[in-house]
Amino acid sequence: MNKQKLELTWISKDKCPKLESRILLEDAEKSYHTQVRSENDLFDNRLIFGDNLLALRALEQEFAGRVKCIYIDPPYNTGNAFEHYDNGLEHSIWLGLVRDRLEIIKRLLADDGLLWITIDDNEAHYLKVLCDEVFGQGNFVSNSIWQKKYSPQNNAKWLSDNHDYILVYAKNKDIWRPNLLQRTDEAEAHYKNPDNDLRGIWKSTDFSVKTYSAANDYPITTPTGHVVNSPKSRCWVTSKECFNELVADNRIWFGKTGNNVPSLKKFLTEVKEGMISLTIWLHEEVGHNQDAKKEVKQFNAEDVFDTPKPEKLLQGIIHLASNPGDLVLDSFAGSGTTGAVAHKMGQRWIMVELGEHCHTHIIPRLQKVIDGTDQGGISKAVNWQGGGGFRYYRLAPTLIVNDKWGNPIINPEYNPKMLAEALAKLEGFTYQPSETLWWQHGFSSECDFIYVTTQTLSVEQLQVLSDEVGDNRTLLVCCAAWRGITIVQAAERFENLSLKKIPKMVLARCEWGHDDYSLNIANLPMSEEESASSEINFPTPIKTKNSKSAVGNQGVLFEEGYNE
């Protein structure tokens, strides 16, 4: 019998894009930094402009298993038309697009890393089941509640919505533990010292537990002679012998009159240096929508971002899941709150954003953070004075385009350096050209290297390469073609060389020419009525080198058997 599993299904769930692993191109004019202000300044932060699914794929080779905290705030699929996000996506398409991102996010997370997702009722419960499938139900940490509004909406048709959800998943829940929150004055106010104990202030805690043990179920006589028993179906915390030791050590409290049910004294000096986070996050503690709006108005008052999150909310998330110097990622950067807060807290960060507000909102915000002129949000709480910097990147264009006859060729926009880096990445090599060896463009190990050229190589040139590589190293040679020798003969003659032709070596790897897999393009195909037989017909991508295509699972088709 076929074994069945519990899972969420949707139209075209089995269709997954074959993503192109693109390189990132730095734009030094948009990168920004200050002079070094302290030894803790961080400059290797990244702001990436481009489709976030392609950007996640581009980051995977370098950052897989290295990101400590990932926060995403995807479009909520509410059906409302925001200026920056067209949210009217049908459930199946929305789930498919989010699933594709979650799978890469899981690979990017460190073993003790954590994912946080803010979402509302429209997709929260579908998303919970989807995350269970991707991360494993055992790695679900919490469905926390964030109070995003502090007053009722009197024009609400049914109930006034005043909260969002924060789904929290660990890469490996067995090894992840949260950082503690700073103990508040309100929490410390519960500690008193009514008996003038020399060990300092303390608070009384329940001396009974619900896990029953007959050995811990015994009568206790109070100092006034009153006999008490443990509550029904419960027992005392310790055995009678241990209880007597605690009494002798003045750790049992019977109340001021000595006639109360016993409680255990917990001294402030003995508790953890912080508090465990609750799953309900009130606006007084982490801010609300209006706080967030006020914060982003400082960077662009004429075009206020629609759906920002308050800095205190991100501070709580980043604090619980990471430490200074750890890497934080947000692939739906929005107004840039995650990067701004991570920067002020001393964490390294990566943000991805496709919308033009990357330039109109995020960059001006980060510049003020780095200059130290941003004193809003959490700045005063963390004594932020500025410093550090970031590098701005854009995704490279697609590597393969069609010429005027419809044949696949290397994109003319690629120069030799870009081509070498792109092919190294596609072949799983780290791009790092040698300063002394002309044929060494990257490496996969200490003795395995890659060389990329658009030339057609002769037997004599291959012999020179083989001689220079030597007996203890291997070299992948990516070239336009070779002449005077067959691939079989080359393998026999040059044992330390592997030959591959450009672009044939990568034609079947990816969906070339797709620039936009985003959740906010207006011409996404909508599915028909959801049924077992329904299908989504995706439009064929336009095959020009600068075109953007609709989300789909068709790539640019290459003629089978094409030989350059």
Side-chain angles (χ1 to χ4, degrees):
M1 295 179 63
N2 293 328
K3 293 184 177 180
Q4 294 181 325
K5 64 177 181 177
L6 184 66
E7 65 175 317
L8 179 66
T9 62
W10 62 86
I11 299 169
S12 300
K13 179 181 179 180
D14 59 333
K15 294 182 179 179
C16 298
K18 293 176 65 178
L19 298 172
E20 178 182 356
S21 184
R22 300 195 188 182
I23 60 174
L24 298 173
L25 305 176
E26 183 179 359
D27 185 340
E29 292 185 359
K30 292 185 175 66
S31 299
Y32 194 79
H33 66 275
T34 61
Q35 299 293 327
V36 176
R37 298 190 180 190
S38 75
E39 60 182 13
N40 297 319
D41 276 357
L42 298 174
F43 296 92
D44 58 342
N45 306 299
R46 301 190 183 195
L47 175 61
I48 302 171
F49 178 66
D51 177 84
N52 65 6
L53 185 57
L54 287 172
L56 289 171
R57 183 74 178 95
L59 292 168
E60 188 175 354
Q61 182 183 23
E62 181 178 357
F63 292 100
R66 295 178 55 191
V67 184
K68 194 66 175 294
C69 173
I70 298 180
Y71 167 77
I72 61 173
D73 182 22
Y76 285 3
N77 197 12
T78 62
N80 297 325
F82 295 108
E83 180 178 354
H84 299 299
Y85 289 120
D86 183 0
N87 261 1
L89 304 186
E90 190 271 346
H91 284 288
S92 291
I93 298 174
W94 189 90
L95 286 168
L97 293 171
V98 172
R99 184 272 315 274
D100 297 337
R101 287 155 176 79
L102 291 178
E103 289 179 342
I104 301 178
I105 282 172
K106 181 181 178 182
R107 296 193 288 269
L108 289 171
L109 275 175
D111 289 341
D112 59 347
L114 208 67
L115 168 66
W116 306 72
I117 313 174
T118 45
I119 198 70
D120 71 358
D121 283 303
N122 288 281
E123 296 288 357
H125 305 87
Y126 291 107
L127 181 59
K128 167 67 168 65
V129 180
L130 174 59
C131 288
D132 284 345
E133 187 172 322
V134 174
F135 285 86
Q137 191 172 6
N139 287 317
F140 169 69
V141 175
S142 170
N143 181 14
S144 297
I145 302 295
W146 167 47
Q147 186 186 11
K148 64 181 179 181
K149 299 174 184 176
Y150 57 87
S151 59
Q153 292 179 280
N154 293 325
N155 61 347
K157 189 173 182 179
W158 293 286
L159 300 179
S160 180
D161 170 31
N162 73 330
H163 74 276
D164 277 351
Y165 300 102
I166 307 176
L167 290 177
V168 188
Y169 279 82
K171 177 75 168 286
N172 186 340
K173 188 177 176 181
D174 290 337
I175 63 175
W176 178 78
R177 294 294 181 271
N179 289 327
L180 298 173
L181 298 176
Q182 183 176 355
R183 190 173 300 280
T184 63
D185 293 339
E186 180 181 358
E188 292 194 2
H190 293 291
Y191 289 83
K192 310 287 184 182
N193 194 358
D195 62 347
N196 297 315
D197 196 306
L198 295 178
R199 289 166 289 195
I201 59 177
W202 53 270
K203 70 175 181 178
S204 60
T205 60
D206 195 350
F207 191 64
S208 69
V209 292
K210 64 180 180 180
T211 303
Y212 185 78
S213 169
N216 293 354
D217 189 0
Y218 49 87
I220 292 178
T221 303
T222 70
T224 60
H226 179 57
V227 177
V228 295
N229 291 291
S230 58
K232 187 176 181 180
S233 75
R234 296 172 69 93
C235 65
W236 302 121
V237 174
T238 66
S239 66
K240 189 171 184 178
E241 180 181 357
C242 291
F243 168 75
N244 292 332
E245 293 176 358
L246 291 170
V247 171
D249 194 30
N250 192 24
R251 287 180 176 268
I252 299 297
W253 176 247
F254 292 97
K256 291 184 177 180
T257 63
N259 197 43
N260 292 358
V261 173
S263 60
L264 183 64
K265 293 167 65 174
K266 181 178 288 187
F267 293 90
L268 181 60
T269 56
E270 296 175 344
V271 300
K272 296 177 180 178
E273 295 181 1
M275 304 184 301
I276 292 290
S277 173
L278 300 175
T279 57
I280 295 180
W281 294 19
L282 301 177
H283 73 86
E284 298 96 338
E285 300 167 353
V286 296
H288 48 72
N289 284 344
Q290 293 307 310
D291 289 334
K293 287 280 189 178
K294 291 177 183 177
E295 290 168 2
V296 297
K297 281 182 180 179
Q298 303 302 313
F299 315 105
N300 193 325
E302 297 181 359
D303 181 20
V304 181
F305 191 79
D306 291 310
T307 57
K309 296 298 183 286
E311 288 199 8
K312 287 174 67 177
L313 176 67
L314 269 298
Q315 181 186 26
I317 288 171
I318 293 171
H319 171 77
L320 288 171
S322 65
N323 297 304
D326 286 339
L327 187 58
V328 176
L329 168 67
D330 183 348
S331 57
F332 292 90
S335 62
T337 304
T338 302
V341 172
H343 202 100
K344 296 174 185 179
M345 295 176 66
Q347 271 83 337
R348 297 178 297 131
W349 55 264
I350 299 173
M351 290 195 294
V352 182
E353 183 52 61
L354 175 61
E356 186 56 31
H357 48 284
C358 180
H359 307 114
T360 59
H361 292 69
I362 296 178
I363 290 179
R365 180 177 197 168
L366 293 175
Q367 288 174 341
K368 289 189 175 183
V369 170
I370 291 166
D371 290 342
T373 56
D374 168 23
Q375 288 300 306
I378 68 167
S379 293
K380 289 182 171 58
V382 299
N383 192 30
W384 177 249
Q385 301 298 320
F390 69 91
R391 298 180 184 274
Y392 173 96
Y393 294 88
R394 59 181 175 86
L395 286 169
T398 186
L399 177 63
I400 304 296
V401 296
N402 289 342
D403 63 17
K404 61 182 180 180
W405 296 284
N407 296 319
I409 61 171
I410 295 295
N411 192 330
E413 295 183 34
Y414 274 68
N415 59 36
K417 175 186 177 299
M418 291 169 60
L419 178 60
E421 184 177 356
L423 290 180
K425 190 167 196 172
L426 287 166
E427 292 294 322
F429 286 76
T430 299
Y431 177 69
Q432 187 175 311
S434 170
E435 295 181 358
T436 56
L437 300 174
W438 57 273
W439 49 267
Q440 197 176 111
H441 287 156
F443 65 91
S444 66
S445 68
E446 293 182 356
C447 57
D448 186 34
F449 305 94
I450 186 172
Y451 169 59
V452 179
T453 178
T454 54
Q455 295 181 346
T456 296
L457 300 178
S458 65
V459 175
E460 291 76 17
Q461 288 172 311
L462 292 174
Q463 185 65 61
V464 170
L465 275 172
S466 180
D467 291 342
E468 292 213 17
V469 172
D471 295 332
N472 298 320
R473 295 182 293 198
T474 54
L475 181 68
L476 172 60
V477 181
C478 307
C479 57
W482 50 89
R483 62 178 182 270
I485 192 170
T486 68
I487 188 68
V488 174
Q489 292 171 336
E492 293 176 350
R493 178 169 174 177
F494 308 116
E495 295 183 356
N496 56 357
L497 302 183
S498 298
L499 306 183
K500 290 187 177 182
K501 289 184 179 181
I502 305 172
K504 184 178 179 181
M505 60 183 287
V506 296
L507 290 187
R509 296 282 184 87
C510 317
E511 297 175 352
W512 307 103
H514 281 221
D515 291 321
D516 197 340
Y517 293 89
S518 67
L519 281 77
N520 65 332
I521 58 176
N523 61 340
L524 278 168
M526 296 296 150
S527 75
E528 300 172 0
E529 290 296 321
E530 295 190 16
S531 66
S533 60
S534 296
E535 292 185 357
I536 298 174
N537 295 316
F538 293 98
T540 301
I542 300 172
K543 300 180 183 179
T544 57
K545 67 182 181 180
N546 293 319
S547 66
K548 289 188 176 182
S549 64
V551 172
N553 294 288
Q554 293 173 274
V556 176
L557 300 179
F558 298 96
E559 183 179 352
E560 186 175 356
Y562 171 78
N563 190 327
E564 69 281 11

